[in-house]
Amino acid sequence: MDTDRSADDLAVLPPITRRTLHAEVASRMRDLIIEGRLTPGARINEGLIGAQLGVSRTPLREAIKTLVSEGLVEIVPAKGAMVRVFSEEDVAQTLEALKIIEQNAGRLACQRASAADLARIQALHEQMLVMYENRQRLDYFKLNQAIHSAIVAASGNAILAELHTTLQARIKRARFVGNGEPEKWAGAVAEHIEMAQALARRDDEALAEVLGRHMDASFARVRYLFSAER
């Protein structure tokens, strides 16, 4: 009887809205990093960013913890939270791992995806093309990344999806910058069109091939970022 009463008491507890606030702050900070408004190596000034976002330090610090877990932010002794700096090798190895995951997940998605999965991915693709036509770069990029995640999720392998999410989060800034020039952006879009067509046909080898080529091209598109270090 006591157990039942405890369950009833828990059922009427109000939701913890702070989780929603923390997620929103993390999302806003993630965008600042992707767009380069928080630059690699920059110290995260909690007071300044908190004031700009209109939030207290508590949800801000929770958001920072999320970004640390994603690999976008790191805690440096005596300096605090800083936007992580990625080397060329970091990016190359991350894209290599993503290539392996996406090619194999793409093959599985062609075999296992439901009609609803395919329709959802096609809808994301069409929305992405609209953002491209309107040159809404950040919205385009978010849909682009959502498509990659949806293809991996459609594989039905939760472990692959978890690994993909972790790795994809780490290099969002580099991939966003990689499409900064018109011809590079157009090339990425052309590859996505090929992906959508291959997936619609459930052509597993064609999808794996274009995903691999897309990842190789992604590295070529961002490699210039590291030229100053050589």
Side-chain angles (χ1 to χ4, degrees), residues 33 36 38-42 83-86 173:
I33 292 171
L38 282 174
T39 58
V83 179
R84 184 174 172 183
V85 177
F86 288 91
R173 168 62 185 164

Side-chain angles (χ1 to χ4, degrees), residues 25-172:
V25 173
S27 177
R28 295 284 296 278
M29 291 182 67
R30 195 179 294 113
D31 287 350
L32 292 174
I33 292 171
I34 291 171
E35 292 182 289
R37 295 166 67 184
L38 282 174
T39 58
R43 178 178 170 274
I44 296 176
N45 186 320
E46 293 183 9
L48 178 60
I49 294 176
Q52 290 176 337
L53 297 180
V55 297
S56 67
R57 287 179 183 264
T58 299
L60 182 61
R61 286 173 177 171
E62 291 178 350
I64 288 172
K65 289 179 183 178
T66 295
L67 298 177
V68 168
S69 71
E70 292 178 0
L72 290 174
V73 171
E74 58 185 346
I75 305 299
V76 179
K79 292 185 178 180
M82 302 185 73
V83 179
R84 184 174 172 183
V85 177
F86 288 91
S87 69
E88 181 176 347
E89 189 65 16
D90 290 333
V91 174
Q93 291 187 3
T94 302
L95 284 170
E96 183 177 52
L98 283 170
K99 175 180 176 179
I100 294 168
I101 291 171
E102 291 198 11
Q103 285 187 308
N104 285 282
R107 291 187 180 96
L108 291 173
C110 286
Q111 300 165 22
R112 300 175 177 175
S114 66
D117 291 332
L118 296 183
R120 191 177 307 115
I121 294 169
Q122 182 60 33
L124 289 170
H125 175 70
E126 291 171 1
Q127 292 172 42
M128 185 195 74
L129 292 181
V130 171
M131 295 302 106
Y132 173 65
E133 292 299 326
N134 294 333
R135 298 301 187 267
Q136 293 177 246
R137 195 161 157 233
L138 182 58
D139 290 332
Y140 161 88
F141 178 74
K142 289 180 178 180
L143 287 164
N144 178 301
Q145 297 288 280
I147 289 167
H148 285 274
S149 296
I151 291 173
V152 176
S155 73
N157 188 310
I159 303 301
L160 282 180
E162 182 179 356
L163 290 171
H164 183 265
T165 296
T166 299
L167 294 175
Q168 183 171 244
R170 291 182 184 176
I171 56 170
K172 284 185 175 181

